[in-house]
Amino acid sequence: MSDLTTRDSAETPDHGHGPTTDGDGTDLARPLFTGPGALPAADVPHRPRASDVNPKAARRVERQIAAMFMLAVLMVILFVIAYVGIDPYTMAYVPVLGEVGAQNAALGFTFGLGVFAIGAGAIQWAKKLMPDVEVVQERHTMTSDAEETDAAAEQFERGKEESGFGQYRLIRRTLIAALALFPIPLVVLLRDLWSPKNGGFGPSPSEVLSETAWTEGMPIVTDGTYVKIRPEEIPVGGLVSALPENINEIQEEEHNLNARGKAAILLVRMEPDEIRSQQGEGWDFEGIVAYSKICTHVGCPIALYEHRTHHLLCPCHQSTFDLADAGNVIFGPAARRMPQLPIGVNEEGFLVAKMPFQEPVGPSFWERG
Amino acid sequence: MSTVEKVGGSVATYVDNRTGSNRFLARNLKKVFPDHWSFMLGEIALYSFIVVLLTGVFLTLFYKPSMVEVVYDGSYVPLKGVMMSEAYASTLDISFDVRGGLLIRQMHHWAALLFIAAMSVHMMRVFFTGAFRKPREFNWIIGVTLIALGLAAGFSGYSLPDDLLSGTGLQIARGIIQAIPIVGTWGAFLLFDGEFPGTEFISRLYGVHILLVPGLILALVTVHLMLVWVQKHTQFPGPGRTNNNVVGYPLMPIYMAKAGGFFFVVFGVITLIGGLVTVNPIWIFGPYTPDQVSAGSQPDWYIGWLDGMLRIMPNWETVLFGYTISWNIFLPAVVIPGIVFTAAALYPFLEAWATGDKRDHNLLDRPRNAPVRTGIGVMAITFYFLLFIGGGNDIIAITFDLSINSIIWFLRIAVIVGPPIAFLITKRICLGLQRRDREKLLHGYESGRILRLPHGEFIEVHEPLTPKERAVIESAVEAYHTPLPAAQKTDANGVRNKHYRRENLRAKLSHWFYGDAIVPPTYDEIEAGQAHVAHDAAIEAPLHEHDVDTTVMVPFHGGILHTEGEPATNREQLEERGGNL
């Protein structure tokens, strides 16, 4: 049985006007339908395509399609030639695109154009040579028949009766208890996603987050070159990205960058009288202040410093801190000031931390308080 | 019968004996799909997903999901000798030392961007045309879930190369997880095996990116398509198109050729872009280190609105009984996106409840005929784009030499004020269009031609609507509803209505949804109006008399046999093909 139908045009009411037709083949005078869809789809005017009426046009389309498929064949051949023949390290100038890797561009161009041609050919075939006559199918509601629904209910009831699910209350309740507990091992197993090194219970997350590699007297070294810094090497208005001296040792020991992610600081020098406030009395050294580099919002490292205003801007979410005013937030989504590291010089004249950070660095967390 | 046909036939029989496939084919090869350009949006999403899968498999052959530090020794000179993770080093190798590797990597990235873009626009199409209505609510929920999964797939993939930009994204993600009250800190430690960045996260994320998320997407896409298949595609109003039929082209051969061809077109375009346009040049960003970042850090476009929300949020944080609640992160990054996705998923049910409309809808709404829904959609888009602008506020500030603080303050206000304004404007535009439709149904088109009648009267000739236009515009009649009646506090016998508050709310919502709609003319009025217009045209007709083209169709290979003259109709063409369709 086919549910493919073309509806009978007798359904169309003819109000007695003779058909008058304009050049487009549109019936003007005859009332075509009363209400959406009352015009049978089969009676929708349909203009034949050039390829329907003109064999020459049809043959031209046939040649076009074949040409596109041939282009695909050619492009695959060129792709292989480009893969084998072009040196991967050659650059080429392509207008608009500029300097590009010659092989990559050639591979993309040949493969892309070839694949595109297959698609274009197929679509052209469908649009120009295959029938463009719309057909109608009836829809069927998703709802089941009443008998089917009854039968389903009946089967369900039978199953319930036979299992005795309603009858054995003890079995039912213990089953529910067992099923409720069954996922617990699967969750417990996730505990060791974070495993403390020497087994047992290590420090809690909040303890870990509250400590950095900075200790009393720890020399400050530049990031990248790892040399100790004398105060006179930082000019007023200068900015230095810095780390604790032992950062590379810690990294080699722990095989990760965690310590670096917490200990990174910025050293900034301003005229001592420009410092309006600090987080502790005398935490600067002759106008050099040290602040954490890790944003208190969501932890991006910050290095956009404007030396005239002493503002520090986070490039990720634009939180702005005032380093001349105790690192307080002056704009943006960060809620907490930048933690300050108290600094001084040691007997050799190098900058050192006077004590560790007095509050956790980086983003807030639940247990931080 | 040719050899090929014989072999094909016996293969079909072989398979059918074991699966009953012929029964399926007999029913479905002629299955009709309606045609509209906007139906291609979902196809683009599907095809770009397939390209993502294919290219992704290739990438797994070369990529090493490891954070072990190695010294780079590949052919990209500027990074020679630099310490970096194996993940980053192997991504550099794919980009520089595997022939075609960069092409595939860029195709993968472009296809992923296209996948999410196509899904988003497809979602808008479905929303604005009311295609989510009964019986398609499940598919709408699946679609919303697919977009959420698409974001997860995109973000996890963006994070794998372990370059400076992707690491920054992960650091932000970590900060967000840490901001979740109670469980956040532990959650972050479990996910990252301790502190950021740790050494495990890339390999954990790799499993999520190549197995978990794509597996879920594939499963849901399958169900999504099966439901489309079973429920049959919706169609736009048009001549002969009713709520109970599908008018279009059969699967075989038309849709096989069109949709199959379109797959190759999408594939080809992605390949061309992947070969010719750079995306995510990780070699410029350098390896990740948690103490560096570059200015102008931007996520991929689909994360932009979430990042924008994070950027424009005021810096609220409270400490309660010694515990920190970071509203400034938790609200924009977790709560509001959660609300947005939940509200989107539930919308079909909210609308059905508010309007009291429980009928099946297979015929699509024109957006103007559902002004409130269209307004809500534009409101959502406005909200989205304001946040999206927020995500690029630093780039905008630099490009247009604006103050970043002013942009953020503008957005903080606009994101609250803008959407309702967009709603009102959209609704008014819809109502205006409804009025014009009413005019067209009653009086046809104004042709601009003035005609002087024999007795001296001047008239402007109105042109009647073509059957297609008329069927489309006339769909307003079916789309029109009067709102639900007001709820009564007591019934006829004076008994208190227990559900008064609920019913009252519902009646108000229904009034809000339907109340302002322009009453369309009745079918009789349309009929009379169009007849009148046709009469006008008939008066003018002698002035424009010309020979109707006589078209001659001739038989040729596979074509349609036709004789001559009058406009061919579908019926005639069908009959001439011997019902062969």
Side-chain angles (χ1 to χ4, degrees):
Chain A
M1 254 288 287
S2 166
D3 56 353
L4 178 73
T5 58
T6 57
R7 297 211 283 159
D8 194 305
S9 65
E11 289 170 22
T12 312
D14 187 340
H15 290 208
H17 306 277
T20 56
T21 305
D22 72 6
D24 282 344
T26 311
D27 199 341
L28 292 176
R30 191 167 66 115
L32 288 168
F33 48 91
T34 52
L39 170 71
D43 285 349
V44 176
H46 182 271
R47 290 179 81 181
R49 300 162 295 190
S51 50
D52 287 330
V53 292
N54 183 352
K56 266 190 187 155
R59 244 163 250 131
R60 196 165 55 236
V61 172
E62 186 186 352
R63 280 197 300 273
Q64 281 170 6
I65 297 166
M68 284 189 233
F69 291 158
M70 273 315 292
L71 180 66
V73 172
L74 178 68
M75 284 298 141
V76 171
I77 295 168
L78 289 179
F79 177 91
V80 176
I81 292 173
Y83 188 89
V84 179
I86 302 179
D87 173 53
Y89 306 112
T90 310
M91 300 298 283
Y93 179 78
V94 179
V96 184
L97 302 174
E99 284 280 315
V100 294
Q103 192 190 40
N104 193 63
L107 293 179
F109 182 76
T110 52
F111 189 30
L113 192 61
V115 173
F116 182 89
I118 296 175
I123 291 172
Q124 179 75 343
W125 187 355
K127 286 177 91 89
K128 293 288 171 65
L129 294 183
M130 295 181 189
D132 66 339
V133 182
E134 289 198 316
V135 292
V136 185
Q137 267 178 355
E138 295 302 311
R139 288 179 190 272
H140 308 285
T141 166
M142 290 292 109
T143 315
S144 308
D145 297 339
E147 301 102 80
E148 288 166 337
T149 305
D150 290 347
E154 203 176 292
Q155 292 304 321
F156 183 81
E157 274 305 314
R158 183 189 54 75
K160 208 175 98 186
E161 285 304 315
E162 288 177 358
S163 73
F165 191 78
Q167 185 185 343
Y168 305 116
R169 194 203 272 181
L170 187 62
I171 292 181
R172 197 169 69 231
R173 293 196 172 169
T174 48
L175 174 65
I176 290 170
L179 288 180
L181 296 190
F182 136 80
I184 288 180
L186 300 178
V187 176
V188 170
L189 284 171
L190 298 177
R191 168 59 187 86
D192 272 359
L193 278 175
W194 177 43
S195 51
K197 286 254 153 49
N198 2 324
F201 294 101
S204 72
S206 60
E207 283 163 358
V208 176
L209 287 176
S210 303
E211 285 163 10
T212 69
W214 292 105
T215 53
E216 190 182 333
M218 174 65 68
I220 301 170
V221 296
T222 55
D223 192 356
T225 48
Y226 306 105
V227 293
K228 286 189 262 192
I229 308 164
R230 290 180 189 281
E232 54 271 26
E233 289 166 349
I234 306 176
V236 170
L239 168 93
V240 177
S241 244
L243 289 162
E245 188 190 25
N246 63 346
I247 190 72
N248 285 323
E249 286 163 38
I250 298 175
Q251 256 168 241
E252 272 160 37
E253 194 182 308
E254 295 185 348
H255 300 291
N256 62 41
L257 301 172
N258 298 358
R260 179 180 287 259
K262 279 191 301 187
I265 58 166
L266 286 175
L267 292 173
V268 167
R269 185 166 207 161
M270 48 191 101
E271 296 292 351
D273 58 355
E274 285 180 308
I275 300 176
R276 293 200 300 285
S277 70
Q278 298 187 64
Q279 293 176 15
E281 193 64 39
W283 281 15
D284 70 319
F285 182 80
E286 294 172 356
I288 302 175
V289 287
Y291 283 95
S292 167
K293 195 182 176 182
I294 309 303
C295 185
T296 58
H297 180 223
V298 282
C300 287
I302 307 188
L304 294 176
Y305 175 66
E306 198 186 27
H307 69 89
R308 280 183 304 115
T309 57
H310 311 301
H311 289 174
L312 189 64
L313 178 81
C314 178
C316 291
H317 304 100
Q318 290 77 46
S319 295
T320 311
F321 305 87
D322 189 348
L323 298 191
D325 183 21
N328 285 327
V329 181
I330 53 171
F331 192 75
R336 291 177 181 275
R337 64 185 188 181
M338 273 298 193
Q340 186 178 4
L341 184 72
I343 55 168
V345 290
N346 61 13
E347 56 274 21
E348 295 161 40
F350 290 111
L351 286 172
V352 296
K354 275 204 295 204
M355 47 181 157
F357 275 111
Q358 297 300 298
E359 56 187 285
V361 301
S364 291
F365 50 94
W366 174 249
E367 297 88 343
R368 189 184 191 280
Chain B
M1 199 188 280
S2 73
T3 325
V4 176
E5 279 171 323
K6 259 187 227 157
V7 172
S10 50
V11 168
T13 308
Y14 186 91
V15 176
D16 180 55
N17 288 343
R18 286 151 183 85
T19 62
S21 53
N22 285 355
R23 203 174 307 125
F24 178 83
L25 293 177
R27 232 185 7 245
N28 285 301
L29 283 180
K30 64 176 186 221
K31 190 177 178 66
V32 168
F33 284 89
D35 216 11
H36 191 266
W37 66 265
S38 69
F39 300 165
M40 288 196 310
L41 297 167
E43 279 186 71
I44 296 175
L46 175 67
Y47 301 150
S48 47
F49 179 63
I50 295 173
V51 175
V52 172
L53 287 183
L54 293 176
T55 51
V57 170
F58 179 87
L59 294 176
T60 60
L61 305 176
F62 297 97
Y63 172 75
K64 297 188 185 72
S66 151
M67 291 169 91
V68 170
E69 294 278 310
V70 294
V71 177
Y72 178 66
D73 190 28
S75 58
Y76 185 61
V77 177
L79 289 175
K80 253 196 196 316
V82 173
M83 289 287 288
M84 59 180 65
S85 67
E86 262 196 300
Y88 185 65
S90 61
T91 314
L92 287 175
D93 288 344
I94 290 171
S95 306
F96 292 109
D97 295 312
V98 175
R99 279 181 283 179
L102 180 62
L103 170 67
I104 300 293
R105 221 197 97 222
Q106 295 194 145
M107 281 174 70
H108 191 69
H109 202 126
W110 278 119
L113 297 178
L114 183 63
F115 173 50
I116 301 174
M119 276 199 293
S120 309
V121 185
H122 173 60
M123 181 193 191
M124 290 184 215
R125 197 280 294 169
V126 169
F127 183 85
F128 285 117
T129 58
F132 56 79
R133 291 173 296 174
K134 190 187 169 193
R136 296 182 178 77
E137 301 97 324
F138 293 165
N139 240 7
W140 170 262
I141 293 180
I142 292 174
V144 172
T145 315
L146 279 170
I147 290 190
L149 286 169
L151 297 188
F155 185 77
S156 58
Y158 174 87
S159 303
L160 287 180
D162 205 22
D163 58 283
L164 191 57
L165 198 56
S166 81
T168 304
L170 279 185
Q171 184 143 22
I172 295 167
R174 162 96 189 204
I176 291 167
I177 296 166
Q178 243 172 246
I180 299 171
I182 305 173
V183 297
T185 316
W186 266 94
F189 269 72
L190 291 176
L191 287 174
F192 285 80
D193 186 25
E195 288 185 278
F196 186 81
T199 53
E200 299 301 315
F201 195 67
I202 294 277
S203 48
R204 289 179 182 178
L205 199 61
Y206 185 61
V208 171
H209 180 73
I210 68 158
L211 182 67
L212 187 63
V213 175
L216 286 172
I217 292 178
L218 200 56
L220 287 179
V221 164
T222 310
V223 179
H224 200 70
L225 292 177
M226 282 168 67
L227 278 172
V228 169
W229 191 276
V230 171
Q231 294 175 333
K232 298 199 168 102
H233 205 289
T234 51
Q235 60 189 350
F236 276 98
R241 297 175 179 193
T242 72
N243 205 31
N244 301 319
N245 70 8
V246 194
V247 178
Y249 300 108
L251 176 69
M252 173 136 179
I254 312 278
Y255 268 95
M256 282 187 177
K258 272 192 176 176
F262 192 51
F263 165 70
F264 285 100
V265 165
V266 172
F267 196 148
V269 169
I270 291 171
T271 311
L272 285 169
I273 297 173
L276 301 177
V277 189
T278 304
V279 64
N280 200 23
I282 49 123
W283 54 90
I284 293 174
F285 308 144
Y288 183 65
T289 163
D291 58 344
Q292 281 173 22
V293 71
S294 62
S297 290
Q298 292 283 310
D300 270 346
W301 76 267
Y302 46 83
I303 300 291
W305 68 290
L306 295 165
D307 202 43
M309 202 148 33
L310 211 50
R311 290 179 185 209
I312 68 171
M313 185 71 192
N315 64 341
W316 302 334
E317 180 177 293
T318 44
V319 177
L320 213 63
F321 308 115
Y323 293 104
T324 305
I325 307 171
S326 301
W327 303 111
N328 56 340
I329 305 162
F330 183 56
L331 282 183
V334 181
V335 176
I336 299 177
I339 293 173
V340 166
F341 276 99
T342 311
L346 294 182
Y347 183 81
F349 306 97
L350 298 176
E351 187 187 299
W353 185 78
T355 58
D357 188 347
K358 303 266 181 279
R359 301 165 304 169
D360 279 6
H361 288 280
N362 299 315
L363 206 57
L364 294 170
D365 265 343
R366 300 175 81 206
R368 68 187 61 178
N369 288 334
V372 170
R373 180 200 299 142
T374 306
I376 291 173
V378 174
M379 186 160 83
I381 293 174
T382 309
F383 179 70
Y384 177 93
F385 270 100
L386 286 169
L387 295 176
F388 184 71
I389 290 170
N393 60 4
D394 49 339
I395 307 290
I396 291 167
I398 289 167
T399 311
F400 298 105
D401 203 15
L402 295 168
S403 148
I404 193 131
N405 302 28
S406 317
I407 297 175
I408 289 175
W409 267 112
F410 166 77
L411 289 172
R412 281 176 180 173
I413 297 165
V415 83
I416 293 166
V417 177
I421 294 175
F423 173 85
L424 290 176
I425 293 174
T426 308
K427 191 176 161 190
R428 286 297 131 192
I429 292 173
C430 288
L431 295 177
L433 289 170
Q434 284 190 1
R435 277 193 202 94
R436 204 178 67 174
D437 281 353
R438 190 185 149 83
E439 279 300 301
K440 278 190 200 163
L441 285 174
L442 291 176
H443 307 299
Y445 280 112
E446 292 172 3
S447 68
R449 292 196 302 278
I450 306 295
L451 195 65
R452 189 179 173 198
L453 300 181
H455 55 277
E457 182 192 349
F458 287 91
I459 60 164
E460 184 188 2
V461 177
H462 282 233
E463 298 263 18
L465 303 172
T466 67
K468 182 157 190 285
E469 286 166 334
R470 185 170 157 186
V472 169
I473 299 174
E474 220 173 29
S475 66
V477 181
E478 295 297 314
Y480 176 76
H481 285 277
T482 45
L484 294 171
Q488 301 298 322
K489 279 194 170 153
T490 53
D491 68 9
N493 301 322
V495 179
R496 202 174 64 84
N497 179 0
K498 275 189 279 186
H499 306 300
Y500 172 73
R501 287 176 65 160
R502 209 179 66 185
E503 284 175 17
N504 190 39
L505 172 68
R506 193 175 175 182
K508 278 183 177 157
L509 282 173
S510 169
H511 190 81
W512 179 61
F513 203 87
Y514 290 130
D516 290 335
I518 306 303
V519 183
T522 64
Y523 289 132
D524 286 342
E525 286 169 341
I526 296 170
E527 200 51 64
Q530 292 294 315
H532 183 80
V533 172
H535 181 70
D536 268 12
I539 294 174
E540 195 196 28
L543 304 175
H544 291 276
E545 225 156 39
H546 60 279
D547 289 328
V548 174
D549 275 355
T550 52
T551 317
V552 180
M553 291 202 213
V554 290
F556 63 95
H557 59 105
I560 294 164
L561 180 71
H562 203 276
T563 44
E564 73 159 348
E566 289 304 287
T569 63
N570 281 347
R571 158 186 318 288
E572 286 159 344
Q573 300 219 351
L574 268 176
E575 279 165 0
E576 278 146 16
R577 292 182 63 80
N580 199 17
L581 263 181

PDB file of all heavy atoms in Angstrom, chain A residues 304 313, chain B residues 295-296 392-404 407:
ATOM      1  N   LEU A 304      49.667  43.617  32.767  1.00  0.00           N
ATOM      2  CA  LEU A 304      49.402  44.883  32.082  1.00  0.00           C
ATOM      3  C   LEU A 304      49.436  46.001  33.125  1.00  0.00           C
ATOM      4  O   LEU A 304      48.482  46.235  33.846  1.00  0.00           O
ATOM      5  CB  LEU A 304      48.041  44.844  31.384  1.00  0.00           C
ATOM      6  CG  LEU A 304      47.913  43.848  30.233  1.00  0.00           C
ATOM      7  CD1 LEU A 304      46.490  43.857  29.696  1.00  0.00           C
ATOM      8  CD2 LEU A 304      48.895  44.176  29.128  1.00  0.00           C
ATOM      9  N   LEU A 313      46.088  45.827  35.174  1.00  0.00           N
ATOM     10  CA  LEU A 313      44.860  45.390  34.498  1.00  0.00           C
ATOM     11  C   LEU A 313      45.004  43.934  34.079  1.00  0.00           C
ATOM     12  O   LEU A 313      45.968  43.558  33.416  1.00  0.00           O
ATOM     13  CB  LEU A 313      44.617  46.262  33.255  1.00  0.00           C
ATOM     14  CG  LEU A 313      43.407  45.890  32.414  1.00  0.00           C
ATOM     15  CD1 LEU A 313      42.142  46.459  33.018  1.00  0.00           C
ATOM     16  CD2 LEU A 313      43.569  46.400  30.991  1.00  0.00           C
TER      17      LEU A 313
ATOM     18  N   ALA B 295      48.163  39.744  26.236  1.00  0.00           N
ATOM     19  CA  ALA B 295      47.036  40.658  26.180  1.00  0.00           C
ATOM     20  C   ALA B 295      46.139  40.262  25.010  1.00  0.00           C
ATOM     21  O   ALA B 295      46.598  39.691  24.031  1.00  0.00           O
ATOM     22  CB  ALA B 295      47.526  42.084  26.009  1.00  0.00           C
ATOM     23  N   GLY B 296      44.860  40.580  25.133  1.00  0.00           N
ATOM     24  CA  GLY B 296      43.936  40.253  24.057  1.00  0.00           C
ATOM     25  C   GLY B 296      43.588  38.778  24.006  1.00  0.00           C
ATOM     26  O   GLY B 296      43.214  38.257  22.963  1.00  0.00           O
ATOM     27  N   GLY B 392      34.501  40.411  24.074  1.00  0.00           N
ATOM     28  CA  GLY B 392      35.581  41.014  23.292  1.00  0.00           C
ATOM     29  C   GLY B 392      35.808  42.471  23.674  1.00  0.00           C
ATOM     30  O   GLY B 392      36.315  43.252  22.872  1.00  0.00           O
ATOM     31  N   ASN B 393      35.425  42.822  24.908  1.00  0.00           N
ATOM     32  CA  ASN B 393      35.446  44.250  25.272  1.00  0.00           C
ATOM     33  C   ASN B 393      36.832  44.871  25.166  1.00  0.00           C
ATOM     34  O   ASN B 393      36.972  46.031  24.805  1.00  0.00           O
ATOM     35  CB  ASN B 393      34.819  44.474  26.657  1.00  0.00           C
ATOM     36  CG  ASN B 393      35.551  43.712  27.741  1.00  0.00           C
ATOM     37  OD1 ASN B 393      36.568  43.067  27.495  1.00  0.00           O
ATOM     38  ND2 ASN B 393      35.016  43.764  28.950  1.00  0.00           N
ATOM     39  N   ASP B 394      37.890  44.084  25.441  1.00  0.00           N
ATOM     40  CA  ASP B 394      39.239  44.668  25.365  1.00  0.00           C
ATOM     41  C   ASP B 394      39.611  44.950  23.914  1.00  0.00           C
ATOM     42  O   ASP B 394      40.180  45.994  23.595  1.00  0.00           O
ATOM     43  CB  ASP B 394      40.266  43.749  26.028  1.00  0.00           C
ATOM     44  CG  ASP B 394      40.155  42.306  25.576  1.00  0.00           C
ATOM     45  OD1 ASP B 394      39.082  41.915  25.071  1.00  0.00           O
ATOM     46  OD2 ASP B 394      41.141  41.562  25.718  1.00  0.00           O
ATOM     47  N   ILE B 395      39.234  44.012  23.029  1.00  0.00           N
ATOM     48  CA  ILE B 395      39.525  44.205  21.607  1.00  0.00           C
ATOM     49  C   ILE B 395      38.754  45.421  21.082  1.00  0.00           C
ATOM     50  O   ILE B 395      39.283  46.258  20.343  1.00  0.00           O
ATOM     51  CB  ILE B 395      39.106  42.954  20.798  1.00  0.00           C
ATOM     52  CG1 ILE B 395      39.728  41.689  21.385  1.00  0.00           C
ATOM     53  CG2 ILE B 395      39.449  43.116  19.321  1.00  0.00           C
ATOM     54  CD1 ILE B 395      41.206  41.563  21.216  1.00  0.00           C
ATOM     55  N   ILE B 396      37.490  45.533  21.511  1.00  0.00           N
ATOM     56  CA  ILE B 396      36.666  46.657  21.067  1.00  0.00           C
ATOM     57  C   ILE B 396      37.246  47.971  21.583  1.00  0.00           C
ATOM     58  O   ILE B 396      37.333  48.965  20.852  1.00  0.00           O
ATOM     59  CB  ILE B 396      35.213  46.468  21.557  1.00  0.00           C
ATOM     60  CG1 ILE B 396      34.581  45.286  20.806  1.00  0.00           C
ATOM     61  CG2 ILE B 396      34.387  47.727  21.352  1.00  0.00           C
ATOM     62  CD1 ILE B 396      33.292  44.815  21.395  1.00  0.00           C
ATOM     63  N   ALA B 397      37.665  47.965  22.851  1.00  0.00           N
ATOM     64  CA  ALA B 397      38.224  49.190  23.445  1.00  0.00           C
ATOM     65  C   ALA B 397      39.448  49.650  22.663  1.00  0.00           C
ATOM     66  O   ALA B 397      39.611  50.843  22.382  1.00  0.00           O
ATOM     67  CB  ALA B 397      38.583  48.936  24.906  1.00  0.00           C
ATOM     68  N   ILE B 398      40.300  48.683  22.282  1.00  0.00           N
ATOM     69  CA  ILE B 398      41.521  49.057  21.565  1.00  0.00           C
ATOM     70  C   ILE B 398      41.196  49.474  20.135  1.00  0.00           C
ATOM     71  O   ILE B 398      41.658  50.500  19.644  1.00  0.00           O
ATOM     72  CB  ILE B 398      42.519  47.878  21.590  1.00  0.00           C
ATOM     73  CG1 ILE B 398      43.064  47.709  23.005  1.00  0.00           C
ATOM     74  CG2 ILE B 398      43.658  48.113  20.606  1.00  0.00           C
ATOM     75  CD1 ILE B 398      43.810  46.426  23.244  1.00  0.00           C
ATOM     76  N   THR B 399      40.341  48.688  19.480  1.00  0.00           N
ATOM     77  CA  THR B 399      40.034  48.967  18.075  1.00  0.00           C
ATOM     78  C   THR B 399      39.366  50.329  17.914  1.00  0.00           C
ATOM     79  O   THR B 399      39.689  51.089  17.004  1.00  0.00           O
ATOM     80  CB  THR B 399      39.105  47.880  17.508  1.00  0.00           C
ATOM     81  OG1 THR B 399      39.654  46.608  17.849  1.00  0.00           O
ATOM     82  CG2 THR B 399      38.983  47.991  16.003  1.00  0.00           C
ATOM     83  N   PHE B 400      38.417  50.632  18.785  1.00  0.00           N
ATOM     84  CA  PHE B 400      37.650  51.869  18.614  1.00  0.00           C
ATOM     85  C   PHE B 400      38.090  52.967  19.578  1.00  0.00           C
ATOM     86  O   PHE B 400      37.426  53.988  19.703  1.00  0.00           O
ATOM     87  CB  PHE B 400      36.160  51.586  18.776  1.00  0.00           C
ATOM     88  CG  PHE B 400      35.633  50.630  17.751  1.00  0.00           C
ATOM     89  CD1 PHE B 400      35.350  49.315  18.082  1.00  0.00           C
ATOM     90  CD2 PHE B 400      35.454  51.033  16.434  1.00  0.00           C
ATOM     91  CE1 PHE B 400      34.886  48.429  17.134  1.00  0.00           C
ATOM     92  CE2 PHE B 400      34.980  50.148  15.478  1.00  0.00           C
ATOM     93  CZ  PHE B 400      34.706  48.843  15.828  1.00  0.00           C
ATOM     94  N   ASP B 401      39.201  52.725  20.275  1.00  0.00           N
ATOM     95  CA  ASP B 401      39.760  53.733  21.162  1.00  0.00           C
ATOM     96  C   ASP B 401      38.726  54.190  22.193  1.00  0.00           C
ATOM     97  O   ASP B 401      38.487  55.380  22.381  1.00  0.00           O
ATOM     98  CB  ASP B 401      40.276  54.929  20.336  1.00  0.00           C
ATOM     99  CG  ASP B 401      41.330  55.709  21.110  1.00  0.00           C
ATOM    100  OD1 ASP B 401      41.836  55.168  22.113  1.00  0.00           O
ATOM    101  OD2 ASP B 401      41.626  56.849  20.726  1.00  0.00           O
ATOM    102  N   LEU B 402      38.096  53.221  22.835  1.00  0.00           N
ATOM    103  CA  LEU B 402      37.085  53.527  23.849  1.00  0.00           C
ATOM    104  C   LEU B 402      37.620  53.157  25.224  1.00  0.00           C
ATOM    105  O   LEU B 402      38.572  52.388  25.351  1.00  0.00           O
ATOM    106  CB  LEU B 402      35.811  52.717  23.578  1.00  0.00           C
ATOM    107  CG  LEU B 402      35.059  53.037  22.295  1.00  0.00           C
ATOM    108  CD1 LEU B 402      34.008  51.964  22.032  1.00  0.00           C
ATOM    109  CD2 LEU B 402      34.398  54.393  22.407  1.00  0.00           C
ATOM    110  N   SER B 403      36.981  53.701  26.248  1.00  0.00           N
ATOM    111  CA  SER B 403      37.345  53.329  27.613  1.00  0.00           C
ATOM    112  C   SER B 403      36.728  51.978  27.936  1.00  0.00           C
ATOM    113  O   SER B 403      35.515  51.775  27.765  1.00  0.00           O
ATOM    114  CB  SER B 403      36.824  54.373  28.586  1.00  0.00           C
ATOM    115  OG  SER B 403      36.496  53.765  29.819  1.00  0.00           O
ATOM    116  N   ILE B 404      37.557  51.066  28.435  1.00  0.00           N
ATOM    117  CA  ILE B 404      37.033  49.740  28.747  1.00  0.00           C
ATOM    118  C   ILE B 404      36.018  49.817  29.885  1.00  0.00           C
ATOM    119  O   ILE B 404      35.036  49.080  29.911  1.00  0.00           O
ATOM    120  CB  ILE B 404      38.184  48.776  29.080  1.00  0.00           C
ATOM    121  CG1 ILE B 404      37.687  47.344  29.095  1.00  0.00           C
ATOM    122  CG2 ILE B 404      38.829  49.080  30.415  1.00  0.00           C
ATOM    123  CD1 ILE B 404      38.520  46.427  28.326  1.00  0.00           C
ATOM    124  N   ILE B 407      32.688  50.753  28.422  1.00  0.00           N
ATOM    125  CA  ILE B 407      32.058  49.633  27.721  1.00  0.00           C
ATOM    126  C   ILE B 407      31.411  48.694  28.725  1.00  0.00           C
ATOM    127  O   ILE B 407      30.262  48.270  28.568  1.00  0.00           O
ATOM    128  CB  ILE B 407      33.088  48.857  26.869  1.00  0.00           C
ATOM    129  CG1 ILE B 407      33.652  49.757  25.774  1.00  0.00           C
ATOM    130  CG2 ILE B 407      32.465  47.606  26.262  1.00  0.00           C
ATOM    131  CD1 ILE B 407      34.759  49.095  24.980  1.00  0.00           C
TER     132      ILE B 407
END
